[in-house]
Amino acid sequence: MLDFKLLPVKDLQKSFLKDFDCGIEVLNEFLSKYAQKNDSLGIGKTFVALDENNKIAGYFTLATAQVAFTEIPNDYRAKLPKYPIPALRIARLATSKSMQKKGVGKWLLKQAFIKAVRVAEVTGLYFIIVDAKESSKTFYEHYGFQKFKDEDLTYFILLETVRKAMMPAR
Ligand SMILES: CC(C)(COP(=O)(O)OP(=O)(O)OC[C@H]1O[C@@H](n2cnc3c(N)ncnc32)[C@H](O)[C@@H]1OP(=O)(O)O)[C@@H](O)C(=O)NCCC(=O)NCCS
């Protein structure tokens, strides 16, 4: 079974981060140049998955967010108050090019979901959202994320859906 060590980016040497290549330069550059800085500023928390050879298999970054009531699709509005609704943003998620299509992205997403469920125990958190890329939208759709609007690539999934999916079967 696929398993990795998941470490906060602040626990790794900065020089070690520059070898990561997911095929998308902005995501490589974020990890090597900005992830630790954003972590110490408290803007975004990045977690890095290391394989058994201590190579970076992938990473993800989480940050809080809000979704304006007007952005929420009609079908999801009924229960909600008309003010901004709290969310957790998967700000970045990427798998090393050499390890893509082997289940690493699924593993990373599961770790992000586990953290989201924990966060939701201590603060309001209704949606998990992600700004997908053309290259990753089918990945998020595969796991049940839906678009807020047809014309852009911001996706959401309800925290409640994730929580239920993660409950152990009885
Ligand atoms: C998108 C990305 C994160 C997927 O990671 P991955 O490790 O290749 O994905 P996995 O092997 O875990 O695939 C998980 C499942 O998603 C499915 N999938 C659907 N669309 C996919 C896509 N575009 N890319 C990869 N998997 C996709 C796979 O078939 C697989 O399904 P299965 O478990 O039923 O077989 C990875 O390709 C990547 O880092 N791409 C470049 C960076 C990027 O675009 N990041 C997203 C920006 S936030």
Side-chain angles (χ1 to χ4, degrees):
M1 205 181 67
L2 215 50
D3 203 15
F4 302 99
K5 262 187 294 185
L6 189 68
L7 296 179
V9 75
K10 66 177 163 48
D11 293 355
L12 295 165
Q13 293 279 353
K14 192 165 184 187
S15 57
F16 174 73
L17 303 172
K18 67 178 183 339
D19 292 334
F20 178 74
D21 181 13
C22 69
I24 297 192
E25 198 41 43
V26 285
L27 293 173
N28 299 340
E29 193 177 63
F30 175 82
L31 184 63
S32 63
K33 289 197 181 154
Y34 304 112
Q36 289 186 328
K37 188 175 174 201
N38 285 7
D39 190 287
S40 62
L41 285 170
I43 294 173
K45 293 285 165 184
T46 295
F47 299 89
V48 179
L50 300 183
D51 70 10
E52 68 278 8
N53 301 313
N54 276 339
K55 286 204 70 158
I56 301 177
Y59 79 91
F60 62 88
T61 304
L62 302 178
T64 55
Q66 286 191 330
V67 180
F69 184 78
T70 50
E71 297 289 308
I72 297 170
N74 284 338
D75 289 355
Y76 291 87
R77 284 185 185 185
K79 286 197 262 177
L80 297 172
K82 291 195 173 58
Y83 48 72
I85 300 300
L88 185 74
R89 184 189 302 278
I90 300 175
R92 287 166 192 83
L93 187 150
T95 298
S96 161
K97 231 160 119 180
S98 60
M99 297 188 75
Q100 286 176 6
K101 311 250 182 237
K102 293 180 179 165
V104 177
K106 178 181 181 179
W107 189 90
L108 292 169
L109 193 58
K110 184 174 173 198
Q111 304 309 309
F113 284 168
I114 290 169
K115 290 189 184 300
V117 169
R118 287 199 195 130
V119 170
E121 285 168 14
V122 292
T123 186
L125 203 177
Y126 194 75
F127 296 114
I128 299 174
I129 64 175
V130 64
D131 294 318
K133 306 215 178 299
E134 274 301 328
S135 58
S136 63
K137 63 181 194 184
T138 52
F139 171 75
Y140 291 108
E141 287 166 1
H142 187 73
Y143 291 109
F145 281 81
Q146 300 175 60
K147 276 184 179 181
F148 278 114
K149 286 188 193 139
D150 282 346
E151 60 274 21
D152 68 30
L153 289 178
T154 305
Y155 282 82
F156 72 93
I157 190 165
L158 299 184
L159 192 276
E160 198 49 33
T161 305
V162 168
R163 195 201 324 266
K164 281 187 187 144
M166 289 188 9
M167 275 201 304
R170 289 174 195 234

